[in-house]
Amino acid sequence: MAGSRRVPEGPTPDPAVQRLRIRYAKRGRMRFTSTRDFQRALERAVRRAGLPMAYSAGFHPHPKISYANAAPTGAASEAEYVEVSLTTVVDPAQVGPRLDASLPDGLDVLEVADAADLPGALADHLQGSVWALRFRGGPAGADELGGMASAVTSLLASEQLLVSRLMKNGPRELDVRAAILRLTLADGEVPRVPADEGDLVLVAELLHTAPTVRPEEVWTALRQVSGRDLPRPVSTRLRQGPVVGGTVALTLAGRTV
């Protein structure tokens, strides 16, 4: 019939009755997985774990999974977040081990909670990140790393420091200095950040600006102010969450670290 609307066949999907908020880690070789790679891995893991995943309606139903502020490809992380909607209420404490066992090694579930028990939307809590930037030492990098302390001082003393990022619509300048809450040299070992003798680790607390400044841009800014060919660091996100008392707290668990 002319003008009639085509509607999907089959039953209406069961409604979502629970949202689980999940914090997971991206470790080892898994830091090279893209966001889309992780999405596919998680959807398979949810099915293998037997969780009653909710789906959207329409001709092409999709799992109701929400991803938030994923780390760049190549960066490791101890604080990645996702929310999964379910059609049956489950015990979050039992979901973690089941889901973790269904994911590849290096994608590790750290915490699971019922989103209804947590205040506010997830996106509202993710106001900043803490990153560890590990610079490899050794013969190739030792000389350049010697000036890192003065480079950090120069960067923090700058009122503005612009770096360029290539966006879909062309290059865009980002103010790295405006995003930095803290930038310090680590005194000793940083948990979950493997380092060899001679390596140097910077800890950067960054506000989530729009667009978000990445560790790579901090590295570029340090190269600019130092005039040195600093080696590219390996980056690990240690936590992300709300900014509390001028520092970034870990969300979900609700504690400041």
Side-chain angles (χ1 to χ4, degrees), residues 73-99:
T73 302
S77 179
E78 295 295 311
E80 299 299 285
Y81 293 91
V82 65
E83 287 189 340
V84 177
S85 295
L86 304 177
T87 58
T88 304
V89 175
V90 300
D91 182 358
Q94 296 181 1
V95 169
R98 289 163 57 188
L99 194 57

Side-chain angles (χ1 to χ4, degrees), residues 21 68 83 119-128 208 241-243 251:
R21 188 174 299 174
E83 287 189 340
L122 174 58
D124 294 338
H125 287 275
L126 303 183
Q127 299 170 357
H208 290 170
V243 176
T251 196

